[in-house]
């Protein structure tokens, strides 16, 4: 049987995952990592993982832990573009908490067979991989591009002829969609995804209820 551990400070979450896994399969032995002795844990589900860098040190420690053969990140903060970083840190999988019980069971089994699993992203025959850039509206792309060019909120407001509150609203929605929490992180993300070179004036935009417009100086 595959020895599976759930790493989470919340006992409710640990018991919930264990119950869901047991309900869908008899191929797992749920073990407590703290009390694990003898044979190593085959797969550890690492819960409470954020999209920023705050959990990376613990992830690296878990990957290096001799008691664990494979570490799989299991998170509500599932962002497709974080997968590469997570796998680069040594994780063998990156899973969304929105997975059904049968899907959650399948992933550790694949990882145990030395496959790298990112789910709900699948191979080309399955679900389409979502490009984070495509999740942004044209106006959000404009705002994020101007942030990457070093413009302040006031500068962006003047260039797009929008009220400062509208710009702030777009910035908040951009941060949420790309999984960052600061302007510097947003700039790095935009640079990595080529937005700095995006022609801002070529992006067609539609009327948005968030927009408060003003007359631009000529």
């Amino acid at each position: 049987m595959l020895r599976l551990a759930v790493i989470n400070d919340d006992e409710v979450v640990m018991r919930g995952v264990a119950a869901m896994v047991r309900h869908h399969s008899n191929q797992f032995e749920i073990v407590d990592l703290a009390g694990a002795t003898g044979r190593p844990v085959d797969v550890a589900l690492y819960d409470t993982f954020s999209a920023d860098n705050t959990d990376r040190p613990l992830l690296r420690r878990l990957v290096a832990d001799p008691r664990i053969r494979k570490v799989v990140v299991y998170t509500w903060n599932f962002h497709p573009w974080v997968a590469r970083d997570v796998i680069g840190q040594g994780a063998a999988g990156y899973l969304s908490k929105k997975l059904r019980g049968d899907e959650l069971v399948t992933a550790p089994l694949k990882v145990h067979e030395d496959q790298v699993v990112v789910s709900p992203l699948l191979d080309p025959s399955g679900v389409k991989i979502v490009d984070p850039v495509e999740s942004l509206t044209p106006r959000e792309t404009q705002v994020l591009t101007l942030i990457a060019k070093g413009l302040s909120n006031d500068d962006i407001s003047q260039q797009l002829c929008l009220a400062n509150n509208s710009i702030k609203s777009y910035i908040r929605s951009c941060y949420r969609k790309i999984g960052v929490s600061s302007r510097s992180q947003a700039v790095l993300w935009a640079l990595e995804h080529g937005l700095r070179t995006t022609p801002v004036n070529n992006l067609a935009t539609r009327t948005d209820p968030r927009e408060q417009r003003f007359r631009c100086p000529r």
Side-chain angles (χ1 to χ4, degrees), residues 8 20 46 77 89 101 121 123 144 154 198:
N8 188 298
M20 185 164 57
Y46 170 32
N77 298 303
Q89 294 284 343
L121 302 188
D123 58 31
L144 192 54
D154 289 339
T198 301

Side-chain angles (χ1 to χ4, degrees), residues 103-130:
E103 294 172 324
L104 178 60
V105 165
T106 300
L109 294 174
K110 290 183 177 179
V111 167
H112 188 53
E113 296 170 354
D114 293 326
Q115 298 182 46
V116 174
V117 179
V118 178
S119 188
L121 302 188
L122 302 175
D123 58 31
S125 64
V127 177
K128 178 184 177 182
I129 295 178
V130 178

Side-chain angles (χ1 to χ4, degrees), residues 49-54 56 77-82 85 94 132 135-136 140 143-144 147-148 168-193 195:
F49 188 84
S50 65
D52 56 25
N53 292 322
T54 56
R56 301 302 195 270
N77 298 303
F78 185 90
H79 299 288
W81 52 95
V82 177
D85 178 46
Y94 181 58
S135 71
L136 299 172
E140 289 167 347
V143 171
L144 192 54
I147 287 176
K168 291 178 181 178
S169 177
Y170 283 120
I171 290 174
R172 287 194 295 270
S173 62
C174 284
Y175 284 12
R176 184 175 63 254
K177 287 183 178 182
I178 67 177
V180 303
S181 58
S182 69
R183 204 176 189 90
S184 60
Q185 291 175 353
V187 170
L188 289 174
W189 189 96
L191 294 177
E192 289 176 354
H193 291 80
L195 292 191

Side-chain angles (χ1 to χ4, degrees), residues 156-175:
I156 298 172
S157 174
Q158 290 294 324
Q159 179 156 339
L160 299 182
C161 300
L162 296 176
N164 205 279
N165 283 340
S166 293
I167 301 304
K168 291 178 181 178
S169 177
Y170 283 120
I171 290 174
R172 287 194 295 270
S173 62
C174 284
Y175 284 12

Side-chain angles (χ1 to χ4, degrees), residues 36-70:
T37 58
R39 187 161 62 90
V41 170
D42 294 308
V43 178
L45 285 181
Y46 170 32
D47 198 355
T48 64
F49 188 84
S50 65
D52 56 25
N53 292 322
T54 56
D55 291 324
R56 301 302 195 270
L58 177 55
L59 174 59
R60 288 193 291 270
R61 290 199 295 272
L62 292 174
V63 169
D65 193 323
R67 297 172 299 171
I68 305 172
R69 288 188 172 133
K70 304 280 187 179

